[in-house]
Amino acid sequence: MPQIKALSDTLRSVAAPGMTPKALRAAVREKHPDATKKDIVRAAFYALTEEHSKDLACLAELHGFALVERVSEDERTIKVDGHKKKRRQKPVEAAPVEAVQAAS
């Protein structure tokens, strides 16, 4: 498994405006063939948060890549349906007082 720092440096060197995530992953895998998609996404976040860069276009490209790839992994989340409404029970009508007294 490649080091995240090495992947981060590679991402910074190959990222260019307008690159698709697939092209960016392919460019990184040319230099690091054993890098997984998850490693590349983590390296992109590392490049954004830990390393400082003057190239704003590169940072914007890495930011977009990291978010798009992270969202595709998070689509496996559980979908929660809305709550079901309880059926309302009809209120029990009180028996007339005369009927209760007559029964006694």
Side-chain angles (χ1 to χ4, degrees), residues 3-57:
Q3 295 289 336
I4 197 166
K5 176 80 168 120
L7 285 174
S8 171
D9 293 339
T10 303
L11 277 167
R12 285 179 179 279
S13 65
V14 299
M19 277 186 92
T20 64
K22 187 175 182 178
L24 195 53
R25 279 193 312 273
V28 171
R29 284 193 177 134
E30 285 179 8
K31 295 183 179 183
H32 304 279
D34 57 337
T36 65
K37 180 179 175 182
K38 188 180 272 190
D39 291 336
I40 296 170
V41 172
R42 287 180 180 164
F45 277 113
Y46 177 82
L48 290 171
T49 58
E50 298 298 322
E51 298 289 319
H52 299 288
S53 175
K54 305 269 190 240
D55 187 9
L56 296 180

Side-chain angles (χ1 to χ4, degrees), residues 36-96:
T36 65
K37 180 179 175 182
K38 188 180 272 190
D39 291 336
I40 296 170
V41 172
R42 287 180 180 164
F45 277 113
Y46 177 82
L48 290 171
T49 58
E50 298 298 322
E51 298 289 319
H52 299 288
S53 175
K54 305 269 190 240
D55 187 9
L56 296 180
C58 174
L59 288 179
E61 190 64 35
L62 287 176
H63 186 257
F65 167 76
L67 289 179
V68 166
E69 292 301 310
R70 185 67 180 177
V71 168
S72 66
E73 288 180 9
D74 288 343
E75 287 176 353
R76 293 180 242 137
T77 58
I78 298 171
K79 182 179 178 183
V80 178
D81 292 330
H83 69 283
K84 294 181 180 179
K85 292 184 179 179
K86 292 183 179 179
R87 291 179 63 185
R88 224 174 169 185
Q89 294 181 355
K90 293 181 182 178
V92 178
E93 293 183 22

